[in-house]
Amino acid sequence: MSDTLKVISPVDGSVYAERPLTTWAEIDGALSVAKAAQVAWKYVPVAERASLCLRFVEAFLAMKDEIVPELAWQMGRPVAFGAGELKGFEERARYMIAIAGDALADIDAGPKEGFRRWVRREPIGTVLVVAAWNFPYLIAVNSVVPAIMAGNAVILKHSGQTPLCAERFATAFAKAGAPDGLFQVAHMSHDATERTIADPRTDLVMFTGSVGGGHAVVKAASDRFVGIGLELGGKDPAYIRADANLPFAVENLVDGAYFNSGQSCCGKERLYVHADVYDDFVEGFADLTKKYKLGNPLDPETTIGPMVRTSAATFVRGQIEQAKRTGARALVGETHFPASKAGTPYLGPEVLVDVNHQMDVMRDETFGPVVGIMKVHSDEEAVKLMNDSPYGLTASVWTEDEDAGEKIGEQIDTGTFFLNRCDYLDPALAWTGVKDSGRGATLSRVGYEYVTRPKSFHLRTRTK
C-alpha cells in the first residue's frame, strides 16, 4: 500500500497535490497531545473560546482568493460558485459561536429546599471529525467549530480528495492563536482511521460520507461505547402540487438537482408532480436544464463542472442507461453538452421521465446530475412515493397552500422538511437524518448536545 496520498484533479486528470500519509506514530502523538490540550481548554471560559473561533473565521476568510480555485482543482466545482461555500461557512460558524453561551449554559432543575441542582453540558474530550469532499468546508465546520466551542479538542481527517481543505483549517487556527494540540489534521488511510476510531483516546466520531462508510465507522467502534454521529446518503424527493408557483418551483428545483454537479447530500434526485401541472413543469424543467454550460470549472462562464472522478460519472451513466432500457425517456441527452464524454468525469445534466420505483435511478443514491420525474394524482400518492426510500435526509413540497404543505410534511420520514425551498441548511435548525441517512445532529442548539455530555450536580446545602 502506498504511503503517499495523491489528489487526482477532475479538471484534467493531473496529480494536483501529494501528501505523505500520517503514520501511526504521528497519530499516536496527536491523540496524546490532543488529550493534554483538551484538559486545559475545558476550563477556558466560553467567551474566550468564542474569541479564538472568531479569529479563526477571519483568518480562514482572508484566504478566499486561494481557496476558490483550489476547490475547483480538488473536486471540480466551478469558480463561479466557489465563494458561495465560504459564505455558508461563515454563516454557520458565526451562528454556532453566537449561540454557544446559551446552548452550553447550566440547566437549572428548579428550586428544592435544602438543595441546589443543575445539569451542565461537559465537553466529551477528543473529537475525530471525518469529513467528505463534496462540500469540504461546510461539512467540516458543522462539527469543528461547535466541538471547539464546547471545550473539546479536534482531529480532522478530511477526504483523500480534499486534503488541502483540512490544511486550510489548520492554517486558520494557527493564525488565530489556537493552543498547541487543540486542533490537528491527519491525512489517514482507511486502516489508520479505523484504528484511531478504536483508540480509547478518541471520545467522539463525527462522520460524513456514504452509507458503506458509516457501517465501517460503526464496525470500527464496535468494541467501544464511543459516541458516533453519522451524516450519510440521501435520495431526496420533492412534490410539486397543482397549486405550486411553477416558474419558482422549476428555477429552484433545477438548481437543487444540479448544483455541485448533483453531488450534494441533500440534492433533489426524484420529483413527483401533480398530473394537472405535470406537462408544464417537465417542459420548463428540461428547458432550463439545457441552459447549463458544462466545462472546465476554472472558466468563470462554466455553470456545471466535472464530477469528482471518472468512476462516479460512469456510475451515473450506468443508472441512466439502466432506466432507459426499462422504459424511461431522456429529455436532454448527453450530446446536448459537447464536453460530456464517456470515460471522463464530465457528464451533462439529464432529465428522465416515464420512470418508476423499480429503476435504480429512483431508489438508489445517484449523487450526480440526473433527476427522475414521476406523475402523481394526489397528495396521498405523493407521500407514499416520497416515503418509499431507505433514505430520509430532506424532502420538500411546493405549494401556495401553507397548511396543506405542513400537513404533508408531518407525514414524510425525513430529517428536514422544506416548504417552497430545498438544498439549504439553516444553522438555526438541526441537521439530521433518519433511516439510512444517519443518526445524530449538527448545527443549532441541538448540535451542541452531540459534542457534549450531561453532568448532573446535586448539592445538599443543609445537613442539619
Side-chain angles (χ1 to χ4, degrees), residues 7-21:
V7 178
I8 307 300
S9 174
V11 175
D12 59 5
S14 64
V15 177
Y16 179 66
E18 293 187 62
R19 293 292 186 272
L21 287 172

Side-chain angles (χ1 to χ4, degrees), residues 239 241 248 395-409 416-422:
Y239 169 40
R241 296 183 83 230
F248 181 80
S396 65
V397 170
W398 302 76
T399 177
E400 295 294 277
D401 188 333
E402 181 179 342
D403 291 339
E406 182 177 351
K407 181 179 179 182
I408 294 170
T416 296
F417 171 72
F418 292 105
L419 184 72
N420 298 324
R421 190 168 202 175
C422 65

Side-chain angles (χ1 to χ4, degrees), residues 64-111:
K64 170 185 172 182
D65 291 343
E66 304 160 70
I67 287 174
V68 169
E70 193 174 82
L71 264 179
W73 278 105
Q74 287 180 95
M75 48 76 67
R77 185 181 308 136
V79 292
F81 306 118
E85 182 163 359
L86 275 68
K87 291 178 182 177
F89 166 96
E90 181 179 16
E91 179 188 28
R92 296 181 193 184
R94 291 193 187 280
Y95 182 82
M96 295 305 289
I97 294 166
I99 68 168
D102 288 338
L104 297 170
D106 292 347
I107 303 169
D108 189 344

Side-chain angles (χ1 to χ4, degrees), residues 212-268:
H215 282 295
V217 168
V218 172
K219 183 178 180 180
S222 60
D223 288 335
R224 301 183 56 217
F225 298 119
V226 61
I228 300 174
L230 302 172
E231 201 255 277
L232 308 176
K235 191 71 183 176
D236 291 3
Y239 169 40
I240 299 86
R241 296 183 83 230
D243 64 347
N245 179 331
L246 284 191
F248 181 80
V250 166
E251 178 184 0
N252 282 273
L253 286 168
V254 167
D255 180 70
Y258 302 129
F259 187 80
N260 211 40
S261 298
Q263 299 166 128
S264 173
C265 304
C266 58
K268 290 292 157 280

Side-chain angles (χ1 to χ4, degrees), residues 14-63:
S14 64
V15 177
Y16 179 66
E18 293 187 62
R19 293 292 186 272
L21 287 172
T22 309
T23 66
W24 178 251
E26 291 168 329
I27 296 168
D28 180 71
L31 286 166
S32 295
V33 171
K35 189 64 67 177
Q38 193 274 326
V39 169
W41 185 247
K42 172 181 177 179
Y43 296 104
V44 172
V46 172
E48 292 184 30
R49 298 176 197 164
S51 294
L52 170 72
C53 286
L54 288 171
R55 294 194 300 272
F56 157 73
V57 172
E58 293 297 334
F60 177 84
L61 294 174
M63 297 184 282

